[in-house]
Amino acid sequence: MLKNLSIDEVVPGMFVNQVTEQSRQLRVRSSGLVKSNDAIKKLKEMGILRVEVDYGKSKLPEGHTTSDVPSEVPSSPVLSKTEALQMANTLYEEAITIQSTFLATLNNQAPADLTHTLELSESIIQAVFDNQDAMSCLTMIKNTDPYLLEHSINCAILMAMFTHHLGYDRDTIDDACIGALLMDVGMTHIPSELREKIATLNASDWSIIQSHVDIGIELVESSEQISDLTLAIIAQHHEREDGSGYPKGLSSAKISPFAKMAAIVDSYDAMISSRSHQSSITPTAALKRLTKDETLDQTLVAQFVQCVGVHPVGSLVKLKSGRLGIVSKQHPEQLASPVVITFYSINGRHFNEIKRIDLAVVDDEIEAGVKPDEFDINLPRFFREIFIKQMSAN
């Protein structure tokens, strides 16, 4: 028997199935038997307001029955697209703050406390489960400065999407997402002038860059919270099918499949991001490059393309009708004809009314993926200040 209770009604011996309401944006996994009042106090400190209790798994004191608590509270209504985007955006901004603090701590040589990182990973996974399109959209809204910071969060989102698409269980998705979030933590100990160097790296420079893998392992492997799967991603995400990768030059059969997946999401997000030494390319162009890169597992690349779509949600596209739009939703059976939210006239070079267009049912099509700077569009600002607010009208 399941009942939705206020945290104040929870007593030791109850089995918490899931958190149903909390004051913090980050989702907290709290499934398990509540063993003490201290545990309840900890849940309250984490901002948990209501939980779902499974009385079939509970081990309650004698005399405590289900009649002692109120009936189940109706579940919350399904979020609208606008609300989902707003919540995803809030989560992303909080994720930036949390990951920024974590990376700064590592950069100051402090021991790695992974508590908030693990909570962040759990929150990202739940957000992907709740609304994958909203989270995918946010990986496209790039700011050029905090690359390492945004890259880690984007890779975690993409890994959660990828593993979910492939049908892995929740614990495996959790470990893989954490691996993607942490796979470049060793970069915090690489000099910034080297990370941002525009000139070609010499052999010595390249050796230092490659050392970030071993540094990353050293930073996190002492934590009891890190699984072997997560460590494999950190250790092997730069290994390649033909043995040309680093640090150990492993070839296909010796590389963890999750590290192979991490290599794909890492390469993809790097290509669609602008950095000091590299201009970004469109998501569609990045996917094409992935399909031609024989150093990556092409079976997994094909699955990744199926997962994110030919024109990924959140990408900016040019329509045959002369409008710009942001891809809003995929049609699994018609990947080239997604739903697009248009907002800009190419001929007039001005913003216009925001409209929802399903390319699977209208006489229009995507001509190409484009970059925001081709039209002098500040996409992050437009997305956060205009796009989200007006989505409810569509």
Side-chain angles (χ1 to χ4, degrees), residues 328-388:
S328 171
K329 181 179 176 61
Q330 298 287 352
H331 290 302
E333 304 304 321
Q334 300 183 64
L335 293 179
S337 301
V339 176
V340 176
I341 305 297
T342 62
F343 63 92
Y344 188 87
S345 168
I346 296 174
N347 295 331
R349 296 192 73 85
H350 60 76
F351 292 96
N352 54 18
E353 182 183 359
I354 294 177
K355 292 184 178 180
R356 181 183 185 277
I357 300 176
D358 188 342
L359 296 179
V361 298
V362 301
D363 185 22
D364 205 349
E365 63 186 43
I366 295 174
E367 285 192 346
V370 294
K371 295 166 56 178
D373 54 12
E374 294 177 36
F375 298 91
D376 297 321
I377 295 174
N378 184 328
L379 196 57
R381 180 179 177 183
F382 169 77
F383 177 80
R384 294 185 169 99
E385 295 183 5
I386 301 175
F387 185 76
I388 290 180

Side-chain angles (χ1 to χ4, degrees), residues 159-170:
M159 181 62 89
M161 291 168 53
F162 199 3
T163 47
H164 181 49
H165 171 77
L166 292 176
Y168 285 102
D169 62 84
R170 180 59 178 261

